[in-house]
Amino acid sequence: KAGVTQTPRYLIKTRGQQVTLSCSPISGHRSVSWYQQTPGQGLQFLFEYFSETQRNKGNFPGRFSGRQFSNSRSEMNVSTLELGDSALYLCASSFTIVGGTDTQYFGPGTRLTVL
Amino acid sequence: KNEVEQSPQNLTAQEGEFITINCSYSVGISALHWLQQHPGGGIVSLFMLSSGKKKHGRLIATINIQEKHSSLHITASHPRDSAVYICAAANTGNQFYFGTGTSLTVIP
């Protein structure tokens, strides 16, 4: 089975721009979660999608949004980029049952640099 | 206060040593996950456990639900075990709370 893929792998943007990141989960996985990793804050949960519905959202401003398509692929969007948004953005997929948690399979991440 | 606390933050060991990394959490969980992150960013899930103990090769993970505490043990450590180890508490909604990670260096 192919693993979780993320595109692009690296991205450089300037303040005020917006960015869209893409994540393709492992075939058969219906849950996709997004995480932000920075040296100062570590790993932080952004949101989780299951069957095209956002089930959970972390403590991030509304500039961070996402969606999931019927084929389980997911996109994350950050609008009005700030310098502090520079981070590694990771997505993970899982075959999650409702009301539970399952092993997370992580993608390689997208390294976003905001100048 | 963070929902998940890990210790130690940094750990240096000689090859062959027995290693323990501790994790305490304050949230209600569906399961506790242990993750490994190598330089370059790739994250691999090592264990997911909701009770008792799991073993995979030289790695052992235990959890005490009453005390809200989990440990990751590495027996006969090897330089290839050098990585950052992260514990994560997942609630029933699959929302994750992460520890700050333990950076492990195993010296030959």
Side-chain angles (χ1 to χ4, degrees):
Chain A
K1 260 188 188 177
V4 178
T5 58
Q6 290 187 247
T7 56
R9 293 291 311 278
Y10 302 91
L11 205 48
I12 299 175
K13 292 285 188 179
T14 56
R15 276 184 302 175
Q17 287 188 309
Q18 77 164 24
V19 66
T20 299
L21 312 181
S22 181
C23 173
S24 292
I26 291 172
S27 177
H29 286 187
R30 294 164 65 189
S31 169
V32 174
S33 298
W34 288 90
Y35 305 96
Q36 181 195 65
Q37 187 176 37
T38 60
Q41 298 294 321
L43 266 169
Q44 292 183 281
F45 172 79
L46 278 157
F47 28 67
E48 188 233 5
Y49 286 87
F50 182 80
S51 293
E52 301 178 67
T53 301
Q54 187 182 88
R55 289 203 297 187
N56 278 295
K57 191 177 193 305
N59 190 24
F60 278 81
R63 300 185 296 107
F64 291 81
S65 63
R67 58 179 176 167
Q68 186 180 34
F69 302 95
S70 58
N71 62 358
S72 292
R73 189 177 72 85
S74 179
E75 287 182 348
M76 191 194 100
N77 185 275
V78 188
S79 62
T80 320
L81 284 166
E82 300 176 0
L83 294 178
D85 297 333
S86 295
L88 180 67
Y89 290 88
L90 293 150
C91 83
S93 74
S94 66
F95 185 77
T96 306
I97 59 172
V98 176
T101 182
D102 203 349
T103 299
Q104 301 277 294
Y105 294 85
F106 285 82
T110 294
R111 175 78 61 182
L112 172 65
T113 302
V114 182
L115 302 176
Chain B
K1 187 181 185 299
N2 293 333
E3 293 87 357
V4 178
E5 301 278 355
Q6 249 184 274
S7 63
Q9 273 195 308
N10 296 285
L11 188 53
T12 300
Q14 293 288 332
E15 183 173 356
E17 283 186 8
F18 181 86
I19 289 162
T20 296
I21 300 170
N22 293 300
C23 175
S24 295
Y25 55 92
S26 59
V27 295
I29 66 165
S30 173
L32 193 290
H33 297 248
W34 281 100
L35 311 173
Q36 180 192 56
Q37 185 171 31
H38 280 284
I43 294 180
V44 173
S45 179
L46 297 174
F47 295 103
M48 180 184 74
L49 63 166
S50 53
S51 65
K53 176 178 169 178
K54 286 191 176 180
K55 185 174 188 288
H56 185 253
R58 295 179 294 104
L59 273 59
I60 303 166
T62 63
I63 188 167
N64 184 316
I65 297 295
Q66 286 72 32
E67 294 185 4
K68 294 192 171 185
H69 182 269
S70 177
S71 294
L72 176 68
H73 306 285
I74 304 175
T75 62
S77 58
H78 190 276
R80 65 175 174 266
D81 297 326
S82 298
V84 175
Y85 294 83
I86 303 166
C87 76
N91 63 18
T92 54
N94 209 31
Q95 182 165 0
F96 280 68
Y97 302 87
F98 295 93
T100 52
T102 295
S103 179
L104 171 65
T105 302
V106 181
I107 300 169

